[in-house]
Amino acid sequence: MDHCQELSNARRFKDAEGVCLAAFDETGDPEALILAGNARWGQGDPGRARTTYERALKLAQAGDDPRDTAQAAERLFYMAWEKSEARRALGYALTWFEAAEEAGDGEFQVRASVALYTALSGLGDLDGAGRALERALKLREGQEDAALAQVLLNLGALRLDEGRMALSREASERALALAGEGREPRFYRSIHLNLVEASLALGDLPAAERHLAAAERYAKEGEGGSALLYYQSRVEHARGREGRALEAVEKALAGDPPSSWAWELAVQQGVVEEALGHLQAAEASYARAADLVEATRADLGYDEFKATLLDARRRPLEALFRLQAQAGRSRDALSTVERATARTFLDAFIQSTSKHPMVSGDAADRAEALKDLIPTLSQSPAVAPRSAEEILGALGDRQALIFFEAEGRFWRIGIGRSRIRIEPLAPAEEVGRRVDDFLARPDDGKIAEDLGRLLLEDSLPAPGEPVYLVPDGVLGQIPFAALRLTEHFLVEEHPIVYLPSLSALAATSARPEGETGSAVVLGDPRGDLPAAAREAREVAAGLKTVPRIGKGAARPVLEQAAGASVLHLATHTGIGPRGPWLALADGEVGSGFLLAHRIRPRLVTLATCASAARRGRGLWG
């Protein structure tokens, strides 16, 4: 074994392979097999290296050897991550951490925690990723060294993803102070670029320039070019040097940047062109960025959807809408809004599998859920944005109000009788404050009237006519029915219809009427909601059908409701790793089940605890 180790340390991989395999044949020690795997990897044979590590992992686990288990899982983690196998990498990271913990090796646990952060962040679970880093920080408590610097670098990146810029800068600056000299140039480049981003967001332009210059010093030829040019353009734009800003972003775009950067570079090009007064060029850049986002979304693996990035990727559509609205091109602006809001149907499922407390192992469940859901969802008519002409045709004589948040401001779009009226309302921050006040005191008539006048004055149809509402952002939280323009509640003067997008209205309007089956009523499937059981009996009596209560409220009955006239559900609901679920007697049913069995009654009542709890900015959640 000693000679095997010596050859491996000397990087004499071909010799090490034979010696290490011989040592394994003699001793059966998994460590010798791990070293043989290292030798095969070092010789550029990752396939045989992976097979060797997998064999070593099985032997170490069978022999209850936590140190060798951790070592083999570590190698397999890095191999999986390099191949973008996020779910597989997460499994190995979990094995690695658990074995390192059992072995009592603090250094190993720190490295495994960072690996967990990497995998969970890649799967979009920022809560889990944050907990992994907190664990690593606790293990390094009191040890101010280079290993802690790596943990803090990752923490700074995580805080950027969360939008917590001051905390990101604090973690990154501490990491830089601890790192010292002698690290890989990539480490310093990454940390300085994180600091550029945080400094720009915090309005500290001198710090942004300083860190950008440092990042450029650590850049090797051909490495990080897109990122460096992107931040060069942003810094030059912040200084008002638009010519230089445009030159940097055009150079980056000419270099065939990766998709993760291409759309952001196109947005930045639009920002600079707009600052130069080139509005047509700016609009073309924003439109190109929006197209790139859609192309990237289509190309991404299911593991790569990060809910935290969905709102950011709406940015080019918001900029495009603003330019079109300001130019008075109302039909183009409406079509752009529909591109943003119709996609929310798909995004809601991504967000609802992410924004809740997760244990680390649940991230793999999330990836599996998206793998099942997204192909089905992508075929839904409600996902496809409709043209302004289609929307106006579907709406007919009805009137609708869209509230759209774009670049920190709310806009109101009134549509009806083939007319479109677009007007800015108020900054999103002000609207958010008023919404908070209203939600805190919904029975305060003055607050309800002030918010009602801000949102609805001079925009409603005649009394008695319905109003179709498409709320966005924080406005999705409020019950418009309780707003006032006079002493009356809005619902006293108008029937109210909520829509996630007008494209969804067009999709449902195109649905053939057809025959509908009888009503289906399910209640109290777990036997712990006696009031729900009573409710189900009363509703079923009114609908002249048989209630399905307790064990009878199961999946086969729900399947029978695919074409029902009414489906009434009185049961538990909630959010889990695979997204929203409702409880039946034979288990929880999620979105995938409903979509796969095409369960689409004419009318559904969800009489449940969490049926109105949304995730994300739209009503779909």
Side-chain angles (χ1 to χ4, degrees), residues 241-523:
R241 299 191 286 250
E242 307 301 350
R244 293 183 184 179
L246 186 59
E247 182 181 345
V249 76
E250 286 179 340
K251 182 178 178 182
L253 286 166
D256 191 23
S259 58
S260 57
W261 279 106
W263 75 272
E264 291 201 69
L265 287 163
V267 170
Q268 176 61 16
Q269 185 178 34
V271 169
V272 177
E273 293 280 17
E274 195 172 349
L276 289 167
H278 305 158
L279 299 188
Q280 283 188 325
E283 186 173 329
S285 294
Y286 294 140
R288 186 166 60 255
D291 291 341
L292 285 166
V293 167
E294 287 301 306
T296 302
R297 183 199 296 272
D299 291 341
L300 281 176
Y302 305 116
D303 294 344
E304 299 175 79
F305 279 102
K306 291 189 179 183
T308 52
L309 301 182
L310 291 173
D311 282 350
R313 293 190 177 188
R314 201 176 92 151
R315 185 185 169 200
L317 289 173
E318 293 180 4
L320 188 60
F321 162 80
R322 175 179 49 77
L323 285 182
Q324 292 165 338
Q326 289 172 344
R329 290 162 40 213
S330 58
R331 295 202 173 203
D332 290 339
L334 175 59
S335 295
T336 298
V337 167
E338 287 303 303
R339 287 184 69 182
T341 56
R343 297 303 304 186
T344 308
F345 176 66
L346 186 59
D347 294 346
F349 290 88
I350 300 166
Q351 289 170 316
S352 67
T353 59
S354 301
K355 292 189 175 181
H356 63 93
M358 260 191 188
V359 297
S360 300
D362 287 342
D365 270 351
R366 171 183 184 265
E368 286 296 331
L370 293 177
K371 183 177 180 180
D372 294 339
L373 278 170
I374 288 173
T376 307
L377 290 167
S378 298
Q379 303 304 313
S380 168
V383 170
R386 307 300 173 107
S387 67
E389 287 70 25
E390 288 178 282
I391 289 166
L392 291 170
L395 196 60
D397 290 335
R398 297 173 291 188
Q399 290 188 247
L401 291 174
I402 300 175
F403 297 94
F404 187 63
E405 184 182 354
E407 300 182 319
R409 174 172 288 275
F410 270 97
W411 295 68
R412 182 175 64 204
I413 307 168
I415 307 162
R417 297 179 177 85
S418 300
R419 297 181 60 189
I420 304 170
R421 178 186 176 192
I422 302 177
E423 52 193 324
L425 284 182
E429 187 176 352
E430 178 187 340
V431 173
R433 282 198 305 270
R434 294 206 191 190
V435 167
D436 287 343
D437 289 344
F438 174 66
L439 293 175
R441 290 175 287 174
D443 55 347
D444 187 311
K446 185 175 187 312
I447 292 176
E449 185 175 343
D450 286 346
L451 184 56
R453 290 191 179 282
L454 172 68
L455 299 178
L456 302 168
E457 195 163 42
D458 299 326
S459 63
L460 293 172
E465 291 186 22
V467 57
Y468 290 76
L469 295 170
V470 181
D472 189 25
V474 296
L475 294 182
Q477 299 175 11
I478 64 172
F480 277 77
L483 297 181
R484 302 168 184 255
L485 272 80
T486 62
E487 68 274 11
H488 300 294
F489 292 115
L490 179 63
V491 74
E492 292 181 90
E493 299 184 345
H494 299 277
I496 295 172
V497 182
Y498 289 102
L499 295 165
S501 70
L502 292 186
S503 292
L505 175 65
T508 55
S509 298
R511 176 180 164 182
E513 290 292 330
E515 295 294 325
T516 54
S518 59
V520 176
V521 179
L522 298 90

Side-chain angles (χ1 to χ4, degrees), residues 7-64:
L7 290 170
S8 295
N9 292 341
R11 303 179 67 81
R12 291 170 55 187
F13 296 125
K14 190 173 181 60
D15 295 335
E17 180 183 356
V19 171
C20 294
L21 288 173
F24 172 71
D25 290 339
E26 181 180 341
T27 65
D29 188 343
E31 185 179 0
L33 209 53
I34 293 169
L35 291 170
N38 292 349
R40 286 173 170 170
W41 200 356
Q43 292 176 79
D45 191 351
R48 290 174 65 218
R50 171 178 278 190
T51 302
T52 308
Y53 292 141
E54 288 171 344
R55 185 181 174 195
L57 179 61
K58 287 180 181 178
L59 287 170
Q61 288 175 319
D64 197 23

Side-chain angles (χ1 to χ4, degrees), residues 583-599:
L584 295 179
D586 50 355
E588 294 173 357
V589 167
S591 310
F593 180 90
L594 302 176
L595 290 164
H597 291 84
R598 298 180 64 78
I599 299 171

